[in-house]
Amino acid sequence: MRFSVIHLKCETALDTLRSRHGTITDTTTAVSARTERNRDAAAAFTEHLLPHTQTLLATARSAIDSMPPARHHGAWLLLLDDLDHAATHIRRILADTPPPGSGAAREQHRALWPYLTAWAEHSLVLTNLVDQHRAPATEFSGQQQAAWNERAQAGKERGELEPFESWYDARGRLITLAYPVEDDASTVLVLAGDLDEPQWQVLGQEDNEYRAGQLAPPPVPPGVLRPRVSRYRPHITAPEVRVQDLIHDVTVAHQSGDVAEALFTAIDDTPHSTGPLAHLSSLIRTAGQFADALETRQGGRSAVRLNFIARQLSSLSRELRETAEELSAAVGVLPPHRASHPRLLTTPASAPTAPAAPTTRPPSTASPAAAPVRHR
């Protein structure tokens, strides 16, 4: 969590230094922000985590050994080996002790950053595996489970079951915490299985979220949609033209060609697209892939809907392109009676919008003190 805060602080600072086209406008300040990020991350890891890395890795490996066999255990073990490799290099780099604030210290912190990001990226995997040694509560069985199953399933059919958190356990079961809203009692149910399938069961019941989470089967590391994507590595994307900027371009336009150009920009779907509709389409399609990867009935339904929305957006983009081509071919211009209003002078509402012809006034004989003062 602390690493994420440090990283977010730096990214926020860098975002303020980017131009409309995504380039850094103040390289000196950007270097300073990254230097501060590298220093703070190195200090936090060295103080709080480095002394415990070997113990944590050993505990995580023993947790995998105690689980029922699963196809993803090899991938988890490889991640733990990756963390062990990173910790080894961190210790090697920290073997030198350059003076604080020196160029050598800044270079040391820069060299540490890739290894620190590996630990930050896989921290959830490590903590979930270490937490496997926590013993869950005894699960419902027999008549007690049957009674709770009937009660919970009846509540779901009435729309009175509100799930709020879910994870997978070491046995491959989908665990869900949910509120039965049939009364005002403070009750949290621990459920196992896909709630859109008929085989799910109630494993236990507690009177608050914390106790339910602690006594439920502990979560194993969740999966990822794109295994090679990291939140802490810079991702190069084409800068998106903001919708607000396009609206402004249309608002100040005189020619229909200017409006057509704004519409063309909005629907730009070239390999280096800057159009917001193309980015939105990519977001919707990726969300559809995520929903489908959930491998649940509700996830499948959401994936179908998201893919349908993406197709509708593609159709909308085609219509916008045709309309933009029509506007461009029209070679239209706004009529002159739509004149701008003055910026400094104010005129009565009944006065004509066109400026009046200047008139010659005789020089005033009033004293300077009596002359009105014009305010700007």
Side-chain angles (χ1 to χ4, degrees):
M1 179 63 71
R2 186 167 184 177
F3 189 96
S4 297
V5 171
I6 293 171
H7 175 71
L8 179 61
K9 178 182 178 182
C10 177
E11 291 301 304
T12 302
L14 294 177
D15 285 343
T16 64
L17 305 176
R18 300 187 196 279
S19 70
R20 176 176 177 176
H21 304 289
T23 57
I24 296 293
T25 57
D26 186 343
T27 55
T28 301
T29 304
V31 169
S32 177
R34 293 190 180 101
T35 299
E36 181 180 353
R37 175 202 66 185
N38 296 346
R39 182 198 64 213
D40 293 347
F45 185 90
T46 303
E47 179 181 357
H48 299 289
L49 198 54
L50 186 59
H52 311 291
T53 55
Q54 294 306 308
T55 300
L56 290 170
L57 290 170
T59 305
R61 289 190 176 103
S62 67
I64 296 176
D65 292 339
S66 65
M67 293 179 184
R71 61 181 180 179
H72 44 264
H73 287 179
W76 290 347
L77 289 170
L78 187 60
L79 289 177
L80 296 179
D81 291 342
D82 193 44
L83 293 180
D84 200 356
H85 175 80
T88 299
H89 280 277
I90 290 172
R91 290 189 179 88
R92 175 184 57 80
I93 295 171
L94 290 175
D96 295 330
T97 55
S102 65
R106 290 192 292 272
E107 178 58 27
Q108 182 186 64
H109 297 154
R110 188 196 63 79
L112 285 171
W113 177 252
Y115 304 109
L116 298 178
T117 57
W119 274 83
E121 186 68 33
H122 304 315
S123 61
L124 185 59
V125 174
L126 188 65
T127 54
N128 283 159
L129 290 175
V130 169
D131 198 41
Q132 293 301 308
H133 293 280
R134 173 176 58 82
T138 303
E139 299 177 3
F140 286 166
S141 61
Q143 293 183 350
Q144 183 185 34
Q145 185 177 64
W148 275 104
N149 286 348
E150 182 179 357
R151 178 179 174 183
Q153 290 175 0
K156 185 177 186 303
E157 291 177 0
R158 296 192 304 268
E160 296 179 351
L161 188 68
E162 294 184 358
F164 63 89
E165 187 176 2
S166 63
W167 63 83
Y168 283 92
D169 71 354
R171 293 168 53 184
R173 298 179 299 180
L174 181 60
I175 306 298
T176 301
L177 302 184
Y179 294 113
V181 293
E182 58 191 14
D183 52 38
D184 295 331
S186 178
T187 301
V188 179
L189 298 181
V190 181
L191 313 173
D194 184 349
L195 300 188
D196 291 306
E197 300 287 352
Q199 296 85 7
W200 61 274
Q201 295 180 321
V202 180
L203 300 184
Q205 174 267 329
E206 290 296 336
D207 58 4
N208 62 69
E209 296 176 10
Y210 176 78
R211 281 183 54 81
Q214 288 297 304
L215 298 179
V220 297
V224 296
L225 184 61
R226 305 281 169 80
R228 296 188 179 277
V229 174
S230 168
R231 72 176 65 223
Y232 298 112
R233 294 176 186 169
H235 53 284
I236 306 301
T237 57
E240 178 183 330
V241 178
R242 298 188 310 164
V243 175
Q244 294 92 327
D245 293 332
L246 295 176
I247 294 173
H248 177 73
D249 291 345
V250 172
T251 304
V252 300
H254 301 288
Q255 313 282 341
S256 61
D258 297 331
V259 178
E261 184 62 30
L263 293 177
F264 283 132
T265 300
I267 59 178
D268 177 26
D269 58 356
T270 58
H272 299 287
S273 169
T274 60
L277 277 182
H279 286 270
L280 179 59
S281 178
S282 178
L283 168 63
I284 294 172
R285 293 186 184 279
T286 305
Q289 295 170 5
F290 181 94
D292 189 54
L294 293 174
E295 300 181 8
T296 62
R297 179 176 290 185
Q298 180 58 57
R301 287 199 295 261
S302 297
V304 170
R305 294 188 65 184
L306 287 166
N307 291 333
F308 176 70
I309 294 170
R311 290 193 296 271
Q312 288 183 309
L313 189 59
S314 296
S315 177
L316 174 62
S317 296
R318 288 193 297 271
E319 291 189 30
L320 279 174
R321 182 177 298 280
E322 293 174 2
T323 306
E325 290 171 351
E326 291 174 357
L327 271 175
S328 180
V331 197
V333 61
L334 293 176
H337 67 79
R338 304 183 68 90
S340 300
H341 288 185
R343 297 293 178 262
L344 302 178
L345 302 178
T346 58
T347 57
S350 59
T353 56
T359 58
T360 302
R361 299 178 60 184
S364 174
T365 57
S367 64
V373 179
R374 172 175 287 180
H375 295 279
R376 285 196 170 216

